Amino acid sequence: MPTAHTRSVESPAPLRLTFPALASALAPLRRTLRQWLTQAGLDADRIADIVLAVTEACTNAVEHAYGPEPGTIRVDGDLLDDELRIVIVDGGHWKTTADAADNYRGRGLAIMRAVVPDTSISTSPTGTTVELRSHR
């Protein structure tokens, strides 16, 4: 009788990133997040989905959270057993961009929810928090 082999993956240390709310900070974020998710044992498709969702959340913070003076974005990632939780936090207030009327924009929230259905967003006077939950 064949024996099933399971791959034992040790969870990486929690991910704790804080970076300026600038478009130039998004590429390094994606690289770091991809490495962390790979260490967590996620497959390539799941990694792509989560990186896309986190990038969309961070792009919203870059474009909408702060005025002319950039603030910061915090990304925290945790694994508990097989549950992945990533929280993206900014300390700004929603600002409308000059190209808000562009019909090709404004799909970030829908994209996040399409690739990570367990997505919640909360806003307060102190900023916005996006929480993404998924299984490995």
Side-chain angles (χ1 to χ4, degrees):
M1 181 164 166
T3 306
H5 293 283
T6 58
R7 183 175 158 216
S8 175
V9 177
E10 192 170 315
S11 294
L15 179 69
R16 301 290 182 257
L17 301 173
T18 301
F19 52 93
L22 299 169
S24 60
L26 297 178
L29 161 70
R30 286 189 295 269
R31 279 191 298 275
T32 301
L33 181 59
R34 236 183 245 109
Q35 289 172 339
W36 186 78
L37 293 167
T38 299
Q39 291 172 358
L42 276 74
D43 67 44
D45 289 340
R46 198 71 201 125
I47 290 171
D49 287 346
I50 292 167
V51 169
L52 175 60
V54 171
T55 300
E56 288 295 333
C58 291
T59 299
N60 280 347
V62 167
E63 293 183 355
H64 302 292
Y66 299 101
E69 295 298 318
T72 60
I73 300 169
R74 191 178 81 234
V75 175
D76 293 336
D78 294 287
L79 279 164
L80 181 61
D81 297 321
D82 277 344
E83 184 177 72
L84 169 69
R85 179 176 175 257
I86 298 179
V87 178
I88 303 99
V89 179
D90 70 60
H93 302 283
W94 192 266
K95 307 283 185 231
T96 303
T97 59
D99 56 358
D102 186 344
N103 289 333
Y104 296 105
R105 299 186 43 82
R107 291 176 176 80
L109 299 178
I111 290 170
M112 280 187 274
R113 289 185 171 123
V115 297
V116 181
D118 193 356
T119 295
S120 63
I121 301 163
S122 60
T123 59
S124 74
T126 60
T128 300
T129 299
V130 176
E131 182 175 359
L132 307 168
R133 289 184 174 268
S134 181
H135 291 285
R136 268 200 252 203

